[in-house]
Amino acid sequence: MPLDTSTYNLALLRVDGRRWNELRQQKAQMGVQPSADGSAYLEQGNTKIQCIVSGPNERDTKSTSSASTAPTSGGQGATVAVSITIAPFATVDRKRRGRNDKRLQEMQTTIASGLAAAVQGQSYGPRSTIHIALNVLSQDGSLLAALVNAASLALVDAGVPMTDYLVACTAGSTSSYAAADEAADPLLDLNTQEEQELPFLTLATLGATDRVVAMVCESRVQLARLEGMMATAADGCKGVRDFLDGVVRDKGELMVQEGAVGRGEVVGSMDLD
Amino acid sequence: MATAKSLTLSSTTFAKLSPHPYLLANLQPSDPSTTPTRTNGRQPSETRTPYINTSSLSHAHGSAVVRNGDTTVICGVRGETILTALGRPQLLLDEARDYDLLVPNIELATGCAPNFLPGVPPTTLAQTLSTRIYSLLHSSKLVDVSRLRIYPEEVGEKNTGDDDEKMDEAEETDEYAVTEEKAVKAYWVLYIDVLFISFDGNPFDTAWTAILAALRDTKLPLAYWDADREMVLCKRSEKEAAPLNLRGLPVACTGAVFTEKEKQKKGSGLYWVLVDPDRLEEGLCDETVTVVVDKLGGSTKILGISKHGGTVVGPELMRKVVATAESRWDQVRAAIE
């Protein structure tokens, strides 16, 4: 099968017209679900995620049956429970995923343990659980990254203390071993088509720092390319963090305007200037 | 003053502590100058205005987002082809039921309300809703089954097959195809998936409105049976995609019966029929009535009546609910068109 991405070298434009280091268009909104403790909606290109946070509330073992959990603060803090629902209409070919789908569980575990590293759970105590429900409404590449970003934003909306945003981004490599093109560009923020054709990894970092919280790579990739891909993904994470921060600040501005919070009033250590 | 202050509760605390007396106090205010309203500020027969957005999903053949107050649902319709089983009779009484051409599914476990946590098996409510939607889809004959039939390609419009998309592999090979020219070779199956984004009461009406709007939005590509390749092929061009011919515009309207006493026998005490109930009201009412009406074409047709629990609603009250459903129909029609 001829690769569409093989034409990349001709114009240095990707299938959707982006340059190698461009993120897709992002849209996000906080507080989309009034009855939830925290909620967010995030679009990264055509990947659309809705996230609902409930809690922290007392641990209920029955309701976390298929959710993946991870304790915060070394078991001394609240537990983060993540469950993902993929809507049947989210993909091009309609496929039902069961609640015990292994791929979903793996993503749930990655997100839960990643968020557990960012959440300051010791203020809640070990008997409480923060439930994070992620609904995938439309899927077009970088799913894990978008899920992490949406969960991060919803946790901010819920007012859960975190050290920084947990942000994630994907990066792929266009070079093939046969072509021996050492200088080939890594690609940032892949869509479905690129994900199917290229080796790629998902990298999650804590805020704008280069502290890697999670990295998932499920395809064969040359070791020499890995560093370039990681650097590109970390750059992308910075872009995502700036975007999420902008969304949170806009929301804060709005809250000040609407009189929900007084101007200059400091909510925790968050600065709403 | 300290004791007086400690006895005064804010209305939200009152609502949380004792919801039934709270709703009753709102409907039957002690001060006659205040007009009795529900806790959400509506009159008993007042509904929430629905907002509908269609074609918002890129991967589905038809989709709709419906917002009714704080209840929001997404509905996606996707068509897939199935081959008619050979040896089964070609003329069936009800093809849609026999081949299971309409498959609705309701997902409530999305964290849409605090009592619907994600990652749990489908609740009784979700299963009941799916079944009620399924039976209404079939009994209302909303979808024209002739639009779901796939025939062999007509000889005149035979084309080279370059712009055709491979849709389905044929498993059966038979001489049968040659002998019967206009036999139905395959069907479209419509998978109708409803996802609750947020939940604030009245799930059936909202889900049904979403399904109605999504089905109106659905366009299926022109599919035909290719006798040579023995598979179903679709025309690629968007122009030839045709909408489903829906019969009528059935609209559901639900009312919940709120009684003065929490355990009330028939014929004693006051009661109110709260149309389009929210989550608080649903939790306090045992008896619900759902009427499905269609006013398209002038006269009102009743497509379904269902009543669950309680003994308050009689024929008189049922007429009133039907009248409310008629005004609800106008409201939904305005939103859908």
Side-chain angles (χ1 to χ4, degrees), chain B residues 78-110:
Chain B
R78 235 196 118 71
E80 275 176 21
T81 56
I82 55 153
L83 299 166
T84 50
L86 290 167
R88 289 182 77 169
Q90 290 292 319
L91 272 170
L92 299 158
L93 288 169
D94 192 348
E95 292 156 282
R97 244 184 234 277
D98 287 347
Y99 282 107
D100 217 6
L101 300 181
L102 304 166
V103 188
N105 183 53
I106 306 228
E107 182 71 51
L108 270 169
T110 54

Side-chain angles (χ1 to χ4, degrees), chain A residues 33-35 48 50 52 54 62-63 65-66 83 85 87-94 96 99 131 133 135 137-139, chain B residues 56-59 70 74 76 78 80 105 107 109-114 117-121 191 193 195 197-198 279:
Chain A
Q33 222 267 61
S35 69
K48 296 170 189 175
Q50 190 223 20
I52 291 166
S54 55
K62 199 178 81 204
S63 62
S65 52
S66 72
S83 53
T85 318
F89 44 70
T91 43
V92 179
D93 48 332
R94 187 188 179 279
R96 264 208 86 71
R99 283 177 294 117
H131 288 276
N135 298 317
L137 305 179
S138 176
Q139 201 180 330
Chain B
S56 35
L57 297 171
S58 42
H59 298 323
D70 277 340
I74 299 185
R78 235 196 118 71
E80 275 176 21
N105 183 53
E107 182 71 51
T110 54
C112 57
L117 278 169
V120 291
Y191 289 96
D193 295 294
L195 196 78
I197 291 292
S198 67
R279 198 149 54 90

